[in-house]
Amino acid sequence: MRKKVVGIITVMLAATTIMSACSSNSNSGGSNTGSSPAADGSAGSGGNSGKKVKLTAIMTKHALTKPLKDMEWLQQVEEKAGVEIDWQEITADWDQKKGTLLASGDVPDLFIGPNVITDADMAQFQGLFQDLSGMLDKLPNVQAMFDAKPETKKIAEQPDGKIYGLPKYQRYWPSTATRQYINQKWLDNLGLQMPTTWDELYDVLVAFKEKDANGNGDPNDEIPMDWPGGIGGYFNPAYLLGGEGMTLTDGSPQGYFVEDGVVKNYLVDDRYKQLVVFLNKLYKAGLINPEVFTHDYTKYQSVARGEGDTAKVGFTMGWVASDRFGEQLAPQYTSMSPLKATPDSSVSWSYDYNSLNYGVNQLVVSAKSKNKDAIMRFINELYAPDMGMQVLFGSLGPNIKDNGDGSYSVLPPADSKMDPGTWKWTSTMADNGAFYIPDSLQLTLGKDMQEVLEQSKPIDAIQIDADNDVFPTFLKYSSADNSTMGLNNTNVMNLANTNFAKWVTKGGVEGEWDSYVKESEKAGLKQNLEIMQKYYDEYKKQ
């Protein structure tokens, strides 16, 4: 199934980001492209003069990530390329900041981050970004990625063959980003069975709230259910739509999915309405964190870490237990099979392999930069075959051990109380970086990656129809269609997010549903579905 869906990537467009890790074993060492001298003939350290070229760059990074100047591997890349980069580090509200920046035309030499500049941005601000398709002779490490993984070139290319954004390939990640977790210790304390349906989950959450599930003598400090605050994307309650038979793709952050070859959007699907009704029932009963729509991701994570051996959250979603709950509390939690909406419901899950292992527009270059050769040297060093693992997991030495035989091992956190996922995100650009990890690299991965595979087993046991129910997330649209869809999606999501928060906390979805659906269609959803169906049908004919 995976091979079939990975084939989808060969015509791909844009998805979002996430945190964390998986596990794998590979074969022999790196590639012969290495950290080669600069393609323009210079020595790889600022040309013959030895003087470093100053560049500017924006990096959209995780809130946990340390300053870029403290990353040993990044300093090595800059040194080899002969550049000195003035980094602007963005940890929040990039979408809001980006519009003003691009409209001004005064942009940095480089942008790095997951889909940091979208295809819609490129369509709207034509001429602002450098076409790299004619510069690949200066990027032998990027060309090596394209040769080894032809799908990465397809991801990068626009319909006219131009390349404005470079992708990444990280290879190790599993088929889904989101796992549902429940506190098994709480279930055992209260003599409860593992829930398998939404109604059974409701009953369990009520017990968690009313019966001092964590056993610390305080019946009011348990949070039965929590999520980061939105509706779509990873770790959010749209994942529960799998319990109504929907196969989401890459978290379906804007609601789009495919069912029996038809492109749909769950934001106007009656099954979504039923989910909202269910969530409102939970909220009214005090079973959802009252701060669910106001806390940020860091707070979401910290609350689930509890206090010592005392857990605070009963049911939630995350990447891996050690990352979600911390090393101390992780053993209390069990990864669950997807919950059915009713005992007779079909069940599915979110297929995320493409967006987890491939990234679109991870690095974009300004067309206005006067230092193109220096930028090409930096990019080439960044995509070196022995550098990708450091971008993802941290520097050789503190984060990765060189075993001396051509193989490497990801080291455990220096602080034994820290989980490997947090350690990674604290140490380096991680998944938000731009890099290539060749399949030939021998790297023994960390404990958390092994855990992800084990905790994915309840999900992997459920088969999905990859041919008819998985949306090819990275489809490439024309500039005009891309621009149209981008504007429409902004309007649709503003409407969806406002109503979702209101309906969950205050109710009213049943009475307002029909008018909401009509508003969504007028906001551009109907037009987007028609556009996407056309491209999907063309893809299916290939």
Side-chain angles (χ1 to χ4, degrees), residues 185-198:
K185 185 177 180 180
W186 289 13
L187 290 174
D188 295 342
N189 287 347
L190 302 179
L192 300 171
Q193 297 296 313
M194 176 70 68
T196 61
T197 67
W198 291 3

Side-chain angles (χ1 to χ4, degrees), residues 180-286:
Q180 295 177 129
Y181 293 99
I182 197 163
N183 193 303
Q184 184 67 51
K185 185 177 180 180
W186 289 13
L187 290 174
D188 295 342
N189 287 347
L190 302 179
L192 300 171
Q193 297 296 313
M194 176 70 68
T196 61
T197 67
W198 291 3
D199 285 344
E200 290 176 4
L201 176 65
Y202 175 83
D203 292 338
V204 165
L205 297 182
V206 170
F208 283 174
K209 179 179 186 294
E210 296 178 349
K211 297 183 178 180
D212 188 23
N214 62 19
N216 69 342
D218 182 354
N220 300 311
D221 67 342
E222 288 86 358
I223 298 174
M225 180 178 178
D226 199 11
W227 73 81
I231 172 58
Y234 303 142
F235 318 140
N236 279 326
Y239 191 84
L240 292 171
L241 290 169
E244 295 188 286
M246 288 190 193
T247 302
L248 306 186
T249 306
D250 302 322
S252 296
Q254 295 170 324
Y256 298 103
F257 70 104
V258 167
E259 193 167 48
D260 296 328
V262 179
V263 181
K264 300 180 180 181
N265 190 298
Y266 68 69
L267 293 171
V268 292
D269 192 295
D270 281 344
R271 290 169 289 183
Y272 168 67
K273 179 175 70 172
Q274 295 309 311
L275 173 61
V276 173
V277 170
F278 175 66
L279 293 174
N280 175 246
K281 177 182 176 181
L282 298 182
Y283 194 90
K284 286 194 298 184

Side-chain angles (χ1 to χ4, degrees), residues 263-499:
V263 181
K264 300 180 180 181
N265 190 298
Y266 68 69
L267 293 171
V268 292
D269 192 295
D270 281 344
R271 290 169 289 183
Y272 168 67
K273 179 175 70 172
Q274 295 309 311
L275 173 61
V276 173
V277 170
F278 175 66
L279 293 174
N280 175 246
K281 177 182 176 181
L282 298 182
Y283 194 90
K284 286 194 298 184
L287 306 180
I288 294 174
N289 185 347
E291 298 180 359
V292 69
F293 291 110
T294 57
H295 63 193
D296 61 15
Y297 191 85
T298 301
K299 180 68 179 296
Y300 165 74
Q301 283 289 82
S302 65
V303 168
R305 303 297 175 98
E307 297 175 1
D309 291 326
T310 302
K312 297 293 185 181
V313 176
F315 169 75
T316 187
M317 288 155 279
W319 169 257
V320 66
S322 60
D323 172 75
R324 184 72 183 94
F325 310 104
E327 293 287 346
Q328 192 167 353
L329 287 180
Q332 293 189 21
Y333 289 85
T334 296
S335 176
M336 305 170 63
S337 295
L339 292 161
K340 294 183 176 183
T342 69
D344 298 326
S345 297
S346 59
V347 66
S348 190
W349 41 280
S350 180
Y351 189 91
D352 309 326
Y353 180 84
N354 298 342
S355 63
L356 293 180
N357 287 282
Y358 298 82
V360 67
N361 299 332
Q362 297 284 135
L363 186 150
V364 176
V365 177
S366 166
K368 297 184 177 181
S369 175
K370 299 178 180 179
N371 299 297
K372 299 287 175 45
D373 282 346
I375 293 172
M376 295 305 106
R377 293 197 301 269
F378 173 78
I379 295 173
N380 192 55
E381 295 293 345
L382 190 63
Y383 277 80
D386 61 350
M387 191 54 65
M389 62 179 176
Q390 298 183 69
V391 182
L392 185 57
F393 294 112
S395 300
L396 282 168
N399 297 87
I400 299 175
K401 178 184 177 182
D402 184 342
N403 297 322
D405 59 359
S407 68
Y408 305 89
S409 300
V410 176
L411 295 171
D415 181 353
S416 61
K417 295 181 180 179
M418 182 180 288
D419 65 275
T422 300
W423 173 236
K424 181 191 77 168
W425 282 98
T426 301
S427 302
T428 186
M429 290 181 179
D431 304 58
N432 286 16
F435 56 91
Y436 165 55
I437 298 179
D439 288 343
S440 59
L441 183 75
Q442 279 188 302
L443 179 65
T444 301
L445 301 175
K447 181 173 68 71
D448 61 321
M449 307 289 263
Q450 306 297 331
E451 291 174 357
V452 167
L453 290 183
E454 182 65 28
Q455 294 168 16
S456 296
K457 287 181 178 179
I459 303 165
D460 291 338
I462 298 169
Q463 296 298 310
I464 60 175
D465 183 350
D467 290 329
N468 299 300
D469 290 341
V470 171
F471 187 75
T473 341
F474 299 112
L475 284 174
K476 289 288 185 181
Y477 304 92
S478 71
S479 295
D481 286 339
N482 212 17
S483 180
T484 296
M485 291 173 61
L487 293 172
N488 289 344
N489 280 331
T490 298
N491 296 331
V492 170
M493 292 309 299
N494 285 339
L495 184 65
N497 286 324
T498 299
N499 281 286

